[in-house]
Amino acid sequence: ALDLAKFYQSKSAAVLVDLKLNIIVATSVDTRDNLPIKHSTMNIIDQISKRQQNEIRENASFEDEILKSFLESNTDENYHIKYDSLKEDLEKKLDKNDYLCTNYAIFLTHEPCCMCSMALIHSRISKVFYVFNTKFGYLNTQCRLHYVKSLNHSYEVFEAIDFHLDSEYTSY
């Protein structure tokens, strides 16, 4: 997610992984310059929703333009992910019985805000991983939303501890 944010010169990025199939199913970056609610988390939930709709309707296969252009333009041999391998992953069909993000983990550059944290609740995400706290973060900074017992879903949250990065992405 950090590499996507840096490549797209975005404030934040997200990567969604199917834990059953062990594949990347979608990626996104922050596009708030276009619309204030277009955080990377909101974008990725929208993207996976469209992918699932396409598969149910048996339309053309899903293509993740963000990940595709990132991988095609990356010439660094240190990357262990190969485009062909990821392309195969994106061509795999998702489980039609899963509701939105059930059995998925999301990897975020930043702690999600209240809106994004609730969207993750509603999408039934299983696990959330993030690198940097934010002043409006709702999983550690402002609140611990995933501990609220009155909600009808919760998820596990993992924060990177002692993560060192000389980057403009550390503050939000």
Side-chain angles (χ1 to χ4, degrees):
L2 288 169
D3 290 335
L4 283 176
K6 188 174 183 179
F7 177 78
Y8 282 100
Q9 298 176 347
S10 175
K11 293 177 184 169
S12 66
V15 175
L16 196 62
V17 174
D18 184 320
L19 297 173
K20 287 191 306 190
L21 299 174
N22 197 29
I23 60 170
I24 293 174
V25 293
T27 61
S28 72
V29 293
D30 188 290
T31 56
R32 278 183 259 184
D33 295 339
N34 302 332
L35 190 64
I37 65 168
K38 299 296 268 178
H39 299 199
S40 59
T41 300
M42 301 303 283
N43 290 340
I44 208 164
I45 292 170
D46 183 51
Q47 193 172 358
I48 198 64
S49 172
K50 289 176 182 171
R51 177 177 179 177
Q52 289 172 346
Q53 287 174 13
N54 279 348
E55 288 187 11
I56 288 170
R57 294 183 184 134
E58 297 182 11
N59 289 349
S61 63
F62 176 77
E63 188 150 314
D64 187 326
E65 292 297 328
I66 291 170
L67 187 61
K68 180 181 176 186
S69 57
F70 169 72
L71 292 171
E72 285 177 345
S73 66
N74 187 352
T75 58
D76 188 344
E77 291 183 19
N78 293 328
Y79 284 91
H80 301 289
I81 301 171
K82 301 288 184 214
Y83 175 69
D84 292 339
S85 166
L86 282 173
K87 190 169 189 270
E88 271 181 38
D89 286 354
L90 293 174
E91 289 171 355
K92 289 180 183 173
K93 297 293 181 195
L94 303 175
D95 187 340
K96 289 182 181 179
N97 296 320
D98 285 348
Y99 174 78
L100 273 181
C101 298
T102 303
N103 299 311
Y104 291 174
I106 190 166
F107 295 83
L108 302 166
T109 54
H110 294 82
E111 177 185 9
C113 66
C114 180
M115 173 184 67
C116 293
S117 297
M118 280 306 297
L120 292 169
I121 294 273
H122 292 304
S123 69
R124 301 294 190 258
I125 197 81
S126 295
K127 298 179 182 192
V128 176
F129 298 84
Y130 69 91
V131 180
F132 304 114
N133 284 317
T134 61
K135 66 181 180 180
F136 298 112
Y138 234 65
L139 299 181
N140 187 36
T141 307
Q142 295 288 324
C143 177
R144 293 182 186 255
L145 184 67
H146 53 294
Y147 287 136
V148 176
K149 296 208 183 291
S150 60
L151 295 174
N152 63 357
H153 180 74
S154 65
Y155 42 75
E156 293 181 90
V157 174
F158 303 90
E159 175 188 357
I161 305 293
D162 293 331
F163 188 85
H164 300 288
L165 179 70
D166 295 326
S167 170
E168 64 272 23
Y169 303 107
T170 58
S171 63
Y172 199 116

